[in-house]
Amino acid sequence: MSAPPKPKRCPHCGKPADALFRPFCSKHCKDFDLGRWLNEDYKVPVVEEDKGDDEDDGRE
Ligand SMILES: [Zn+2]
């Protein structure tokens, strides 16, 4: 056996992870991350390019 694995860090706040809440450091961070996923609060802006492809010059 070699050296024990390094303790991972909480992806939320960067503190060393706790075995109980890994990969997070605390229940707070775990719940926070979980809630973020459950809420799916990712609001992706819909970019609609309105270029007006109709070349309606009205040439005469
Ligand atoms: Zn944390």
Side-chain angles (χ1 to χ4, degrees), residues 10 12-15 24-26 29:
C10 174
H12 180 57
C13 69
K15 291 179 183 177
F24 304 96
C25 70
S26 65
C29 285

Side-chain angles (χ1 to χ4, degrees), residues 2-60:
S2 57
K6 293 179 182 177
K8 295 197 173 184
R9 289 185 175 270
C10 174
H12 180 57
C13 69
K15 291 179 183 177
D18 190 290
L20 288 175
F21 307 108
R22 61 185 176 178
F24 304 96
C25 70
S26 65
K27 189 176 186 297
H28 173 76
C29 285
K30 186 176 181 179
D31 287 347
F32 184 92
D33 197 79
L34 191 68
R36 195 179 64 178
W37 279 104
L38 290 178
N39 289 334
E40 289 188 32
D41 197 16
Y42 295 101
K43 292 182 180 176
V44 182
V46 180
V47 179
E48 289 185 37
E49 293 188 26
D50 193 10
K51 280 186 176 179
D53 265 305
D54 302 278
E55 293 186 19
D56 197 8
D57 286 346
R59 282 189 289 183
E60 290 180 28

